Amino acid sequence: MQDEFDLIILGAGCAGLSLAMALAKAGKACPRTLILEARSSYQNDRSWCFWANADSAVLPQHQWPQLRLMAGDKSVRIDSSKRPYQMLKAENFYARAQALIKASENITLRLGEAITSEPQKNNRHWQVQTAAGQVSAPLLVDTRSMLKPTLGGAVLWQSFYGLEIECEQSVFDTSCVDLMNFLPADSTQVEFVYVLPLSATRALIELTVFGQEPLLPIALTQQLDAALLARCGAAKFQVIRREHGILPMGLKPTAQGLDASRVQVGVMAGAARPSTGYAFRRIERWAAECARALLDVSGPKLVGHTPDPLIIRLMDKLFLQVLKAEPQCGAALFMSMFGKAKPERLIRFLSGEARFTDCLAVIAACPYLPFLRALSRLVIARPKP
Ligand SMILES: Cc1cc2nc3c(=O)[nH]c(=O)nc-3n(C[C@H](O)[C@H](O)[C@H](O)COP(=O)(O)OP(=O)(O)OC[C@H]3O[C@@H](n4cnc5c(N)ncnc54)[C@H](O)[C@@H]3O)c2cc1C
């Protein structure tokens, strides 16, 4: 078995496979790449949602022209038909990636090969140990989630637990996603139900919490059951699959780039947008950028996730401060933002493509008092020189 490569990617989830797909496009110019993945097979373990754009490598399975937010008896519906909200099934993404890797002469994916010890650099090469032996390469992309969700590990955690269900009767409106159906205000966390209608009888229904503590499914089950009952009423349903996730909202900056031959990427290394947790498009963008740098004629280089522009970082920081200090304002904040800002501006903002004027429009659409209070708290908390 070959054990020397130009590049080793640790982990073949969304980030590892996205980079492999971007590199596969280079044909013979693609570096000799090995991807090591702990899982021995892929399941349909998640669905990725995002707003449509032209340059995605994979085709989504569903899309919706409208989005709705609800809080008590208030409701806001926005038309997103110009940039529909789309869903990609993980099983389709994994299958597409595996097909491209199989067709590439230079990329090898080894499933069921977990990395068993920290990679060591020796003589300009990274030595990576798995149960099957040692492999090495001068460049290493690490997509494993090194950061474990713990209290204080992120400003907030987004925890969600959902069921894809098939009902015996028609229950769902297939034209509209319920992006956030807020539960009554809570002084410790923001809670809402997310409904992706896949047909009139099938939907993914998720209970989501933005809070300081990362939550396991057990902590979300009771409210999810209540949401299912509220949504489906007496209609009987069958559970098709379950998904659970814990995403960081606002990570502390880490010491990246100490060694340019190794990069840490993925959802726990800056891929997730702090204020929303959306990561898929950001990972796609990073993968395209990293593949370009690896194929650079002046020599291969690695890149990590590019920090957001300053205005976005400041807005996300303030936003998270508001949600952390005044979670009871969460529903009003999102309702106001979606009710007042133009959909195209909002979608660019949420997708990480905001222009300066989009940021100003989103700021103007938010209730300003909680933000002023958050700003004053940040200023007071700033370490003195
Ligand atoms: C259920 C769920 C739904 C989500 N929905 C959305 C969404 O709708 N929109 C959106 O933008 N984002 C979404 N996200 C966030 C984000 O897009 C995903 O988490 C995405 O999969 C992150 O990609 P990643 O490569 O960082 O991590 P992963 O996809 O988890 O990949 C990491 C890989 O590393 C492997 N690995 C770990 N340790 C080892 C080891 N020691 N040896 C070898 N391999 C190892 C793992 O098995 C895994 O395959 C969702 C996340 C979850 C969990």
Side-chain angles (χ1 to χ4, degrees):
M1 208 189 309
Q2 186 189 351
D3 56 11
E4 284 277 334
F5 295 85
D6 299 321
L7 167 71
I8 299 177
I9 303 175
L10 310 183
C14 183
L17 293 175
S18 296
L19 179 58
M21 284 194 280
L23 286 172
K25 283 190 204 155
K28 290 198 185 315
C30 172
R32 287 172 308 137
T33 303
L34 173 67
I35 318 178
L36 295 169
E37 167 58 44
R39 288 184 262 188
S40 49
S41 66
Y42 289 105
Q43 312 295 326
N44 192 24
D45 59 352
R46 64 200 64 185
S47 49
W48 282 290
C49 284
F50 37 74
W51 281 272
N53 77 1
D55 46 56
S56 183
V58 269
L59 288 175
Q61 282 73 56
H62 286 274
Q63 64 177 33
W64 297 267
Q66 290 185 45
L67 304 168
R68 185 166 62 160
L69 275 77
M70 287 175 283
D73 55 359
K74 295 198 181 79
S75 155
V76 172
R77 197 182 268 254
I78 71 160
D79 176 5
S80 63
S81 50
K82 285 190 194 144
R83 300 269 314 261
Y85 193 63
Q86 300 184 320
M87 186 196 102
L88 174 65
K89 285 187 194 174
E91 62 184 358
N92 291 47
F93 173 84
Y94 297 139
R96 170 90 179 123
Q98 282 177 284
L100 287 174
I101 290 170
K102 206 168 168 196
S104 163
E105 282 176 21
N106 293 348
I107 309 180
T108 309
L109 168 63
R110 290 196 199 151
L111 294 177
E113 278 202 39
I115 290 91
T116 48
S117 57
E118 251 323 275
Q120 300 297 324
K121 196 166 181 187
N122 195 352
N123 220 357
R124 296 187 175 195
H125 274 63
W126 288 100
Q127 319 282 344
V128 178
Q129 196 66 46
T130 75
Q134 187 173 286
V135 284
S136 72
L139 298 170
L140 196 64
V141 172
D142 194 349
T143 77
R144 296 169 298 160
S145 294
M146 305 303 277
L147 174 74
K148 299 288 166 239
T150 47
L151 194 66
V155 178
L156 289 177
W157 292 100
Q158 177 178 155
S159 311
F160 51 94
Y161 181 44
L163 304 184
E164 185 175 324
I165 57 166
E166 178 70 42
C167 290
E168 281 180 358
Q169 292 152 239
S170 295
V171 175
F172 306 107
D173 167 6
T174 53
S175 66
C176 183
V177 167
D178 282 348
L179 204 58
M180 299 174 126
N181 183 357
F182 291 97
L183 302 188
D186 184 296
S187 60
T188 56
Q189 52 196 21
V190 182
E191 300 163 329
F192 59 89
V193 180
Y194 173 75
V195 181
L196 277 182
L198 306 172
S199 74
T201 53
R202 188 178 283 215
L204 174 67
I205 302 190
E206 251 167 33
L207 192 276
T208 303
V209 172
F210 296 167
Q212 296 192 34
E213 216 181 318
L215 301 173
L216 293 173
I218 185 93
L220 304 167
T221 305
Q222 202 180 345
Q223 278 167 317
L224 176 62
D225 287 346
L228 288 162
L229 186 65
R231 196 59 199 230
C232 305
K236 285 199 177 133
F237 61 81
Q238 187 195 341
V239 177
I240 308 296
R241 63 177 194 95
R242 293 159 201 274
E243 65 174 51
H244 168 252
I246 299 176
L247 306 175
M249 300 177 78
L251 287 172
K252 296 190 183 87
T254 49
Q256 279 272 2
L258 294 177
D259 187 325
S261 64
R262 176 180 181 163
V263 71
Q264 189 83 42
V265 291
V267 78
M268 294 291 183
R273 173 83 183 271
S275 59
T276 62
Y278 283 103
F280 185 82
R281 286 288 194 220
R282 291 161 69 92
I283 289 175
E284 257 192 345
R285 283 197 287 268
W286 159 78
E289 211 178 303
C290 191
R292 266 195 303 277
L294 281 164
L295 296 164
D296 197 300
V297 283
S298 65
K301 285 175 235 24
L302 290 175
V303 294
H305 297 291
T306 315
D308 289 308
L310 183 64
I311 181 160
I312 299 281
R313 275 184 280 148
L314 288 174
M315 285 174 74
D316 279 0
K317 194 167 181 174
L318 269 181
F319 199 76
L320 291 181
Q321 280 305 319
V322 170
L323 295 182
K324 186 175 176 181
E326 303 183 49
Q328 65 283 5
C329 295
L333 199 160
F334 284 102
M335 296 288 285
S336 175
M337 202 164 86
F338 276 77
K340 292 183 184 163
K342 283 200 174 136
E344 59 272 24
R345 290 196 183 281
L346 197 56
I347 291 170
R348 279 201 295 271
F349 178 74
L350 294 170
S351 302
E353 304 153 14
R355 303 164 189 163
F356 186 66
T357 47
D358 298 330
C359 296
L360 294 182
V362 171
I363 293 171
C366 289
Y368 62 92
L369 276 177
F371 282 89
L372 284 180
R373 288 195 288 268
L375 189 62
S376 62
R377 273 192 294 270
L378 279 178
V379 171
I380 291 165
R382 241 179 74 180
K384 306 279 181 299

